Amino acid sequence: MPFTAEMRRAIDQIRDYLFGGGYPDPVANAEQLSFLFFFYLVEGIDKENAMRTKVLKQPYESLFAGEWTLKNPLNAPEKNIKSISKDYFRWSVWAKGLSGEALVRFVRDEVFAFFAELGEKSAHNFMHGARLSIDEPTVLAQVVNLVDGLHLDQSDSDTKGDLFEHVLRQIKQAGELGQFRTPRHIIRAIVEMIDPKIGETIYDPAAGTAGFLVAAYNHIRLAHSSPGAIHDDELDGKLQRRGHGDKLSTAQVSALSNATFYGNDVDPKMVRLATMNLTLRGLPNVRILQRNVLTTSQDSERKTELGLPQEGYHVVLANPPFSGRVDKDRIVDEVKVGTSTSTELLFLKYMMDSLRAPANPRTGAGGGRCGVIVPEGVLFGSTGAHKELRRQLIENCRVKTVLSLPGGVFQPYSGVKTSVLFFQKGGSTDHVLFLHADNDGYKLDANHDTPIEADDLPLLLNAYRSREEGWQQWQARDPKAEWPHKAWFASAEEIRANDFNLSAGRYRPMSQTAVEHRDPRELLDELAAIEVEIAEEVEALRVVLAEQAA
């Protein structure tokens, strides 16, 4: 069953009801809804597990078997009763049988505690530190009723995931470190270019709501679907092709569920939202860790304890925080780049080191590959840290492509100009393909959510896939002739001669007329990136002066 307009209206009704009831924070509301979705779904999951083990003639103890010692005596059904049957924690019991203050009290003191205790026994505790924040009785009762009306148990994993994505779309502010929700069509384009495959490990060190991991999962399922199991769903005003993954073997499904996807996020709310997003997609065993990779290290023993790959990851996909800063005394040695405290540089260094080493260090064959969104300043910044990081990329990796995204792609969170770096660990760079997108299929306004026909991404995806053929055509071109394409190349020698500058605009072939009439938006984007770099330099100087004064 696809994600319907009726479901969309139901989610919007919940959002509007929460906002009108005095709960305006969309992140907190999404988190609270993820808890309620979880409470609703557990009863059905428990029933399915019981039926499966019965067929297999295996023992099974229901999650709702046994007694629960009450945390709050006021929740006792009768006086002097200190415990209740765990059957009370079935959604069908408390959600339909309680209202008013009794509902708030029972959910706040008992339901959250019960599921937190269950979480402690699982691979990861989705409920760790969770609490009820919707404490207005009328609002909670109405929201519970609306969630019940969604009938999540009757929806497939794609529909449940789409429903939750609609909840996440309401998050329209950036986090403290500059992290924000990445547009899903941009994520899908990056994933298609990286082309993750079954059997590979896939990692997002700044997972947010797990958009990259979900897209990689969908990409793999589509690649292993028969024609009859492929369908198109309309999402965000565009058709999206999906597959049920019917050609995946039992072993491959198990690998996807337990040994493929990995992620971290520094924000506990994002960890919960990511976990729910993956759970609704049918990946409940994927563990998203609450961790700041810039300030903490993991030795081999810790990786083994957490079930993480020792040799690095085949694929890293990420949109790390922009414009954030970390106290220099907290930065772990392995991610340091000079004296920089900029999160975008430190994350890029960390991702380079997180990739799987190549089987052949000289050619880079078999090395892990990465698709990462970076602010434009990373590509042409003139600080020592900027240049050194780009040098490492060119000399120690095979930088394959830089995709220049349109300004405004990250509205309403940020207007910063961004690009996507595609590289593979090992070897060294020979030449780089530069791709330039003027349009991404959505109107580049303050909201960036209105579909339009103009979309350069499909054409640029084809250019990426045929980049070696394109390199031959580029070398055979007449340098004096017009180059009308949105794809061009630069050799490693050219890049070295330009302080390892990786900005697409630096190498774009232009006629004199084109130079004289450059798009004002491009000029503004460049100025904005320069402004960000200047602000970073001023801040770094301020820190140095403060230390000297101390």
Side-chain angles (χ1 to χ4, degrees):
M1 180 176 67
F3 181 52
T4 64
E6 183 179 351
M7 290 178 174
R8 187 178 291 107
R9 285 193 295 270
I11 290 297
D12 291 342
Q13 187 179 3
I14 294 173
R15 176 201 64 195
D16 294 342
Y17 198 85
L18 285 168
F19 188 86
Y23 301 93
D25 182 357
V27 177
N29 291 345
E31 182 189 38
Q32 293 293 296
L33 280 177
S34 70
F35 295 142
L36 294 176
F37 291 168
F38 181 60
F39 300 157
Y40 179 99
L41 291 168
V42 165
E43 183 173 356
I45 292 171
D46 184 70
K47 184 177 180 180
E48 289 176 5
N49 289 339
M51 293 175 63
R52 185 182 303 112
T53 54
K54 183 177 181 180
V55 170
L56 297 174
K57 296 182 180 180
Q58 296 175 345
Y60 180 74
E61 183 179 46
S62 170
L63 299 174
F64 303 104
E67 293 286 308
W68 171 262
T69 301
L70 291 168
K71 306 296 182 183
N72 185 344
L74 295 177
N75 289 317
E78 299 177 21
K79 286 185 178 181
N80 300 322
I81 292 181
K82 296 182 179 180
S83 65
I84 59 174
S85 168
K86 289 183 179 179
D87 271 328
Y88 275 88
F89 293 100
R90 296 180 185 273
W91 177 277
S92 60
V93 176
W94 64 263
K96 296 177 185 287
L98 295 175
S99 61
E101 290 286 354
L103 175 64
V104 171
R105 190 171 58 241
F106 188 75
V107 175
R108 181 192 63 210
D109 301 334
E110 312 297 343
V111 174
F112 270 74
F114 173 77
F115 284 103
E117 187 174 292
L118 282 183
E120 290 173 358
K121 301 174 183 177
S122 64
H124 55 289
N125 191 355
F126 167 65
M127 295 293 298
H128 180 72
R131 65 182 184 86
L132 178 69
S133 63
I134 307 172
D135 52 6
E136 167 59 42
T138 303
V139 175
L140 180 61
Q142 184 65 13
V143 170
V144 166
N145 183 59
L146 290 170
V147 169
D148 188 68
L150 292 172
H151 303 296
L152 292 175
D153 56 330
Q154 300 175 19
S155 301
D156 59 30
S157 59
D158 282 336
T159 301
K160 286 184 286 195
D162 293 343
L163 183 147
F164 194 59
E165 279 290 344
H166 191 65
V167 172
L168 298 176
R169 284 190 67 200
Q170 313 310 318
I171 302 174
K172 296 185 181 295
Q173 76 266 30
E176 291 181 5
L177 292 179
Q179 69 269 38
F180 39 75
R181 182 176 181 270
T182 311
R184 273 21 187 183
H185 65 288
I186 298 296
I187 286 179
R188 288 193 295 273
I190 294 171
V191 168
E192 285 192 59
M193 290 181 176
I194 288 291
D195 189 23
K197 294 180 169 39
I198 191 74
E200 295 184 323
T201 51
I202 302 166
Y203 178 47
D204 185 346
T209 58
F212 273 108
L213 300 182
V214 167
Y217 176 56
N218 288 339
H219 178 83
I220 291 172
R221 285 201 305 161
L222 178 61
H224 292 81
S225 296
S226 58
I230 295 175
H231 57 96
D232 290 326
D233 290 338
E234 183 178 335
L235 291 171
D236 302 332
K238 299 277 186 176
L239 288 179
Q240 179 185 335
R241 175 148 291 193
R242 284 175 164 168
H244 293 304
D246 58 306
K247 295 172 69 175
L248 290 166
S249 68
T250 301
Q252 289 174 327
V253 170
S254 178
L256 287 173
S257 300
N258 301 293
T260 298
F261 302 104
Y262 304 86
N264 311 302
D265 202 275
V266 67
D267 186 341
K269 287 184 178 179
M270 290 297 113
V271 171
R272 293 183 188 123
L273 294 177
T275 302
M276 176 50 60
N277 201 8
L278 292 164
T279 298
L280 292 172
R281 298 284 181 181
L283 296 171
N285 296 328
V286 175
R287 183 170 187 177
I288 304 298
L289 300 175
Q290 183 184 341
R291 179 187 170 212
N292 187 337
V293 299
L294 306 183
T295 60
T296 60
S297 298
Q298 290 177 331
D299 58 19
S300 178
E301 184 177 345
R302 180 59 174 161
K303 288 180 179 179
T304 299
E305 180 184 340
L306 295 172
L308 304 178
Q310 294 283 352
E311 64 280 3
Y313 299 92
H314 294 93
V315 170
V316 174
L317 299 160
N319 176 19
F322 299 168
S323 68
R325 288 196 171 275
V326 183
D327 185 88
K328 72 173 188 177
D329 295 329
R330 298 178 60 221
I331 301 171
V332 293
D333 289 340
E334 53 262 39
V335 304
K336 287 183 177 178
V337 186
T339 59
S340 177
T341 59
S342 299
T343 56
E344 59 266 32
L345 295 182
L346 301 175
F347 262 105
L348 185 52
K349 176 64 165 63
Y350 171 80
M351 286 184 282
M352 291 167 61
D353 294 340
S354 296
L355 291 169
R356 188 184 183 93
N360 186 329
R362 186 180 62 82
T363 64
R369 56 200 190 280
C370 179
V372 54
I373 299 171
V374 296
E376 199 79 355
V378 169
L379 303 178
F380 66 74
S382 59
T383 71
H386 283 84
K387 293 179 182 178
E388 172 58 20
L389 192 61
R390 294 196 301 266
R391 185 197 68 78
Q392 291 183 26
L393 276 168
I394 295 298
E395 304 294 359
N396 303 328
C397 299
R398 294 164 62 201
V399 178
K400 295 184 176 182
T401 300
V402 176
L403 167 60
S404 176
L405 296 173
V409 159
F410 287 101
Q411 294 287 16
Y413 312 100
S414 170
V416 65
K417 177 73 172 69
T418 57
S419 289
V420 188
L421 268 173
F422 297 91
F423 62 91
Q424 186 168 13
K425 186 169 184 175
S428 61
T429 302
D430 180 29
H431 53 267
V432 177
L433 167 64
F434 293 96
L435 304 172
H436 179 83
D438 288 307
N439 292 286
D440 67 335
Y442 291 86
K443 188 176 181 180
L444 296 168
D445 57 9
N447 291 315
H448 190 232
D449 59 3
T450 302
I452 60 173
E453 288 296 322
D455 186 358
D456 295 323
L457 295 180
L459 178 66
L460 298 181
L461 174 60
N462 289 333
Y464 176 86
R465 289 171 173 166
S466 59
R467 57 189 178 277
E468 291 311 312
E469 180 183 341
W471 170 240
Q472 299 302 320
Q473 294 174 351
W474 172 260
Q475 290 181 301
R477 81 192 190 287
D478 178 359
K480 296 180 181 179
E482 288 285 337
W483 185 263
H485 310 293
K486 294 186 177 183
W488 57 92
F489 289 85
S491 68
E493 290 73 20
E494 290 178 90
I495 293 170
R496 289 188 186 96
N498 282 279
D499 279 337
F500 299 98
N501 189 309
L502 286 171
S503 176
R506 172 62 65 96
Y507 307 101
R508 185 172 192 173
M510 289 186 180
S511 66
Q512 185 60 38
T513 302
V515 171
E516 292 174 355
H517 299 282
R518 288 186 64 192
D519 189 334
R521 293 179 299 178
E522 286 188 18
L523 296 173
L524 289 173
D525 289 339
E526 289 184 10
L527 288 172
I530 293 171
E531 184 181 9
V532 170
E533 185 185 356
I534 292 172
E536 290 178 355
E537 288 297 292
V538 170
E539 180 60 29
L541 182 59
R542 182 179 288 112
V543 171
V544 171
L545 293 174
E547 290 175 349
Q548 291 177 348

